Amino acid sequence: MEAQLLEGKKVAEKLKVEVTREVERYSKKTGSAPTLRAIQLGEDPASELYLKSQKRAAESVGAKHEITSLAASATEQDLIGEIERANRDPKVQGIIVQMPLPKSFRIDRVLDTIHPDKDVEAVTTKNLGRLLMNKEGLAPCTARACIRLIEETGVNVYGKEGVVIGSSKVVGLPAFLLLIGKKVTSTICHTGTFKSGALESHIRRSDVLIVSAGKPALIPGAWIKQGAIVIDVGINHVNGKTVGDVEFESAKKRAGFITPVPGGVGPLTTMTLMENLITVAKAQAGIS
Ligand code: NAD
């Protein structure tokens, strides 16, 4: 039997209904819609696409989306100044700094300038620390989207084996923490695991697999455990096609559930950003 497809778009539509209702409630109580300000430095095609989908998602739930564009020649201090301005602006509830940034920038320093209360992507040390301490609150959007897709399967993952490939602070690491929160017995793999040749053995025993490495065809379908839940976060462009990190055609013959790329995690990530926006906006306004 072929795997069931986990389509992010459908799940995002359901989430949109909830977020729209909360945005309406917020807007009625405060007299204005929650506002997300994206700060961009220079131009990047992937960032432009993400900005467009943020704007579309914001408008679809009744929120506002603003873009502050800095020249490619702007300094780290210019960017920090712009973030501080947004921190002080009472009309801005959420701040997002678009990636990539120049290699010379200290990314942690830049991101930690975002006020944690306005950190819609949960990328500041404080918000990631809260996740580590297993506190209620924000989680990075892509990691949260992965978990929501796993929940969507209806499978009870308590005590199952989970493997996350990739340990980035925005996806792999928080996804790993969220899996642990669901009492999945979890392992995180990275380039070290790949170089030691141990990747296959971890994947073969994985009931829940989240892959976020950004390497096309990294995971052969033959490695997937029968019936596993496979969440492929990777976005790679190969010969004019967008593909994930998992060999989709062979993997779907073994998996129980699998996300397509495109159309899997991506569409849900943007709606999760809107969910985070209304969460921080309500907290700032003291609305429960
Ligand atoms: P990153 O580059 O910050 O981190 C990649 C991680 O993968 C690192 O921890 C690295 O150790 C690991 N890795 C790299 N090669 C590996 C290998 N051969 N074997 C095992 N581990 C390996 O990446 P990221 O920000 O987590 O993004 C990863 C991918 O996910 C990219 O393709 C990116 O475009 C995509 N992405 C998609 C969404 C979405 O919404 N769908 C969101 C964010 C990122």
Side-chain angles (χ1 to χ4, degrees):
M1 258 212 343
E2 285 214 338
Q4 289 185 45
L5 284 189
L6 286 171
E7 289 172 276
K9 222 177 179 170
K10 287 189 187 157
V11 186
E13 279 301 316
K14 281 199 267 178
L15 180 59
K16 188 173 115 181
V17 174
E18 282 170 41
V19 175
T20 305
R21 194 176 49 229
E22 289 306 297
V23 168
E24 253 172 41
R25 197 161 72 86
Y26 172 92
S27 304
K28 249 190 213 144
K29 284 206 169 170
T30 65
S32 59
T35 300
L36 173 63
R37 180 173 295 170
I39 304 175
Q40 182 190 30
L41 190 139
E43 281 174 15
D44 174 79
S47 168
E48 293 294 336
L49 274 182
Y50 191 31
L51 282 172
K52 272 194 193 139
S53 76
Q54 284 170 27
K55 189 170 187 313
R56 241 191 341 260
E59 284 171 359
S60 78
V61 298
K64 285 192 204 149
H65 184 260
E66 300 177 353
I67 302 173
T68 301
S69 294
L70 299 180
S73 58
T75 63
E76 183 180 300
Q77 205 45 49
D78 294 335
L79 177 58
I80 285 176
E82 208 51 64
I83 298 170
E84 284 170 343
R85 225 186 313 283
N87 283 342
R88 287 191 302 270
D89 190 337
K91 293 195 292 300
V92 172
Q93 283 70 44
I95 301 169
I96 173 167
V97 176
Q98 293 292 120
M99 296 293 144
L101 293 178
K103 285 206 166 55
S104 60
F105 283 29
R106 289 161 291 178
I107 292 186
D108 287 350
R109 179 160 180 254
V110 168
L111 294 181
D112 270 334
T113 307
I114 302 172
H115 193 292
D117 292 350
K118 295 190 176 186
D119 173 22
V120 271
E121 282 196 303
V123 288
T124 56
T125 304
K126 183 163 183 199
N127 282 325
L128 284 170
R130 287 176 71 87
L131 195 61
L132 185 67
M133 303 300 282
N134 207 9
K135 294 258 163 57
E136 284 297 307
L138 293 180
C141 311
T142 309
R144 177 73 82 204
C146 293
I147 301 303
R148 185 166 269 125
L149 285 166
I150 292 166
E151 288 168 352
E152 201 59 25
T153 66
V155 173
N156 180 6
V157 292
Y158 189 98
K160 298 258 169 140
E161 289 284 338
V163 172
V164 179
I165 313 290
S167 54
S168 70
K169 274 192 278 185
V170 284
V171 189
L173 206 50
F176 169 76
L177 293 171
L178 291 170
L179 274 187
I180 291 178
K182 295 188 83 65
K183 294 274 186 272
V184 175
T185 309
S186 307
T187 303
I188 194 156
C189 301
H190 38 65
T191 44
T193 326
F194 175 76
K195 286 187 184 139
S196 71
L199 215 48
E200 179 178 353
S201 62
H202 286 293
I203 290 165
R204 282 197 182 272
R205 62 173 171 71
S206 167
D207 301 304
V208 180
L209 178 65
I210 299 176
V211 189
S212 182
K215 296 278 179 291
L218 175 67
I219 314 297
W223 291 4
I224 303 295
K225 186 173 173 182
Q226 286 289 347
I229 300 170
V230 179
I231 310 291
D232 190 354
V233 182
I235 299 176
N236 309 291
H237 303 288
V238 180
N239 301 330
K241 265 186 80 183
T242 304
V243 297
D245 293 350
V246 178
E247 279 182 357
F248 182 75
E249 288 306 324
S250 49
K252 83 171 180 210
K253 297 200 173 91
R254 298 177 63 84
F257 300 87
I258 190 166
T259 55
V261 178
V265 181
L268 188 53
T269 294
T270 321
M271 194 46 70
T272 307
L273 179 67
M274 295 307 132
E275 184 187 34
N276 280 359
L277 174 66
I278 188 60
T279 301
V280 297
K282 276 170 32 187
Q284 286 163 45
I287 299 171
S288 54

